[in-house]
Amino acid sequence: MPPVPRPLAAPAADEPPRLTARTLEGLEWVLARELEAIGARDLRVGRRTIEFSCAAGLERETLYRAVLECRTAIRVLEPLGRFQADAPDRLYAAMQAVDWTEQLTTSDTLRVDAAIHDTFLTHSLYAAQVVKDAVVDQLRTPSGRRPDVRLRGATLRLALHLVGNVATIFRDAAGRSLHQRGWRMGEVEAPLSEVLAAGILAIAGWWRPGDDPTACTSGEPLLDPLCGSGTLVIEGATIAAGMAPGLWRARRKAHGFFRFRDCDRGLATRLVEALEARARPPQGDPPSGAFQASDLDPRAVEAARACAAAAGVAARVAIEQRHFEDARPSAPGSLVVTNPPYGERLPVARAGALLRRLGDWLVQRCGGSRAAILAADSPATKHFGLRTSRRVHLMNG
Ligand SMILES: C[S@@+](CC[C@H](N)C(=O)[O-])C[C@H]1O[C@@H](n2cnc3c(N)ncnc32)[C@H](O)[C@@H]1O
C-alpha cells in the first residue's frame, strides 16, 4: 500500500508554482493514477493535494483533461503567480502585480477562496478579502464600475494559498466542485459525494484508474442495497459505460475553464467530442443485474431513478424499493458496495443493530461475493461482526 500522504512542505518563494489538483483525504493515490494517465508528470503527492507538471506545449490540454476526466479530483488549479508577502499590505501589493485585465472585465463576476497556514493572518476570509480588493481596485473604472463578487457561478474563481510568507494565487479550472457531475436530481438526506463513490469503487478494486477507460472495471456486478440516491451504482454504471465524469457539465459549458478569457475553445470542443465518442450508449446492453440498487425509502428510490435517468444510465441500472434483507446479488462474484446510515444521524444503538443485520445478511445471502462498506468512525461499527480484509481511512469533506 502506498504511504499515507502528509501535508506538502511550504514552497520556497522562488519555486515556480505548478498545476495542483485537490481531492478527499484517502483518495490521493487514486487521483495520482488518474493524473498520470492523462500525461501528468513529476507528481508530488500531499494530503488532499497533488502538484504536477506536464510536457511542454500540453499544459492547457492536461489542465482541461484533468477537469473533464479525473473522477477523484475536486478542484484543478492553474497557478497565476507566486509572491513573498509578510503583511496584508504586501499581499495586496503582490496581488496588484498580476495583470487582472487578462482575466476579467468589469462586467464579469469574481469569487476568491483562501487557504492559510502558519502565516501572518489568522482568518482565511480576511486573506480572500485582501485578494478580492486588489483585483477589483485594479479593474475599477473612473465611473466606479468593477467586477462584482458572486459565490455561485462566478466568471472567475480564484484560490489563494498562503503558507508562511509565500502566497500562491491560482485560478480554478473547474469552477464548482467536481463532485457535482451534473446529473444529481431530487433530494435525499446525506447523499454520498460522487468523488468519494468513485474512490471507494477504485479502492475496492472494481475500477482501475488509469487503465483504458473503456475496459477498466473488474466486470463484477454491483449491488447497493441501501442506495439512497444511488450514487455508488450510478457512478459505477457511468464508469463501465466509458462516460467521463466531466461530460454532463461540459455539455452545458459549466466548467470554470470555459469561462476563462483565454479559453482555447477549439481544443475544449475537440476534447469533449472525443469523450462523447468514447461513451458507449446504453444499447450496448450489459448483462441484466450488472447494476442493482435498492432502498427502503420510496423518496430515495425516486431520487435514484431520476439521477440514473439524468446520467443516461437508467437502462443499465435496476432500482427497486425494498428492505436490504430482501436484496440479492445477481450472481456470485458480485461486489456489494454501500454506505449504511451512520451514527451522526442515527442513535448508536440503532446504527449498530442495522450493521449487525447487514453483516448477517452478507454472510447468509451474499456467499461468493465481496463487500465494500463505508462505515462511520463510530462505536456502532463494532457491531458489524465481519472481519475486514482491508481498512482504508477516508474523509468525506
Ligand atoms: C447514508 S444513506 C445512503 C446514501 C447513498 N449512498 C447516496 O449516495 O445517496 C443510507 C440509506 O439507507 C437507507 N436504509 C435505511 N435502512 C434501510 C433498510 N432497512 N433497507 C434498505 N435501505 C435502508 C436509507 O433510506 C438511506 O437512503
Side-chain angles (χ1 to χ4, degrees):
M1 284 231 291
V4 174
R6 304 162 68 87
L8 290 179
D14 58 357
E15 182 185 329
R18 299 198 294 155
L19 295 170
T20 298
R22 308 265 301 156
T23 187
L24 297 173
E25 191 171 330
L27 301 184
E28 295 90 346
W29 292 104
V30 180
L31 177 57
R33 281 198 291 276
E34 290 198 88
L35 286 167
E36 280 173 339
I38 58 160
R41 300 169 166 184
D42 307 322
L43 277 63
R44 203 154 75 103
V45 180
R47 186 175 298 160
R48 306 191 344 175
T49 298
I50 299 176
E51 293 177 0
F52 59 98
S53 307
C54 46
L58 289 183
E59 293 83 0
R60 247 182 229 186
E61 179 167 337
T62 309
L63 183 76
Y64 296 179
R65 289 191 65 189
V67 172
L68 293 167
E69 297 180 45
C70 288
R71 291 186 177 273
T72 52
I74 291 176
R75 311 208 156 284
V76 183
L77 304 173
E78 183 185 17
L80 297 176
R82 174 168 281 166
F83 309 90
Q84 197 134 26
D86 54 9
D89 58 333
R90 298 274 177 86
L91 178 62
Y92 179 90
M95 292 303 130
Q96 284 237 319
V98 177
D99 181 359
W100 294 108
T101 60
E102 288 180 3
Q103 305 292 336
L104 282 168
T105 67
T106 50
S107 50
D108 288 329
T109 51
L110 170 70
R111 170 176 175 156
V112 184
D113 300 295
I116 63 173
H117 182 67
D118 194 17
T119 186
F120 54 91
L121 292 176
T122 47
H123 291 292
S124 54
L125 273 180
Y126 181 48
Q129 177 93 30
V130 172
V131 176
K132 187 271 290 174
D133 287 347
V135 177
V136 301
D137 289 351
Q138 188 189 95
L139 293 173
R140 195 186 311 270
T141 63
S143 63
R145 289 195 61 203
R146 40 153 273 192
D148 282 333
V149 170
R150 186 188 284 172
L151 294 185
R152 284 175 65 91
T155 321
L156 182 69
R157 186 166 176 167
L158 297 173
L160 170 76
H161 290 184
L162 181 59
V163 184
N165 290 341
V166 179
T168 311
I169 187 78
F170 298 90
R171 59 179 179 175
D172 189 329
R176 256 180 303 144
S177 166
L178 288 171
H179 81 273
Q180 297 176 24
R181 307 285 197 227
W183 47 253
R184 185 162 289 288
M185 299 282 140
E187 294 223 346
V188 292
E189 215 181 292
L192 191 68
S193 150
E194 295 77 349
V195 163
L196 189 53
I200 290 169
L201 291 171
I203 289 168
W206 183 83
W207 159 62
R208 293 175 303 276
D211 276 14
D212 172 1
T214 60
C216 63
T217 79
S218 65
E220 293 160 292
L222 278 187
L223 164 62
D224 182 352
L226 301 107
C227 72
S229 57
T231 316
L232 282 156
V233 168
I234 295 169
E235 185 72 19
T238 64
I239 295 172
M243 298 161 118
L247 210 45
W248 295 268
R249 271 169 60 172
R251 288 171 185 157
R252 292 184 287 112
K253 306 221 177 329
H255 293 297
F257 68 78
F258 283 109
R259 295 188 290 270
F260 289 174
R261 297 196 74 197
D262 59 352
C263 174
D264 185 337
R265 290 184 188 284
L267 171 64
T269 303
R270 278 199 305 284
L271 293 175
V272 174
E273 281 173 359
L275 294 176
E276 293 282 12
R278 190 177 85 189
R280 289 188 299 282
Q283 51 267 34
D285 277 346
S288 69
F291 299 97
Q292 291 191 86
S294 49
D295 199 284
L296 198 53
D297 181 349
R299 286 166 308 175
V301 171
E302 197 182 317
R305 286 185 178 144
C307 290
V313 294
R316 296 166 189 255
V317 182
I319 303 169
E320 305 294 339
Q321 185 197 347
R322 64 179 151 224
H323 195 287
F324 71 81
E325 288 172 333
D326 296 324
R328 301 283 179 275
S330 61
S334 292
L335 176 66
V336 179
V337 60
T338 196
N339 80 300
Y342 50 87
E344 282 166 30
R345 290 181 182 77
L346 206 62
V348 169
R350 276 183 57 204
L354 188 139
L355 281 176
R356 184 165 45 240
R357 287 174 70 175
L358 182 64
D360 291 347
W361 171 78
L362 283 168
V363 170
Q364 290 160 13
R365 305 292 179 200
C366 304
S369 291
R370 307 189 297 133
I373 311 290
L374 179 67
D377 187 8
S378 140
T381 304
K382 69 173 186 296
H383 294 284
F384 183 52
L386 298 187
R387 251 189 319 120
T388 48
S389 57
R390 189 174 166 208
R391 273 173 196 250
V392 179
H393 179 80
L394 297 168
M395 290 286 282
N396 186 12

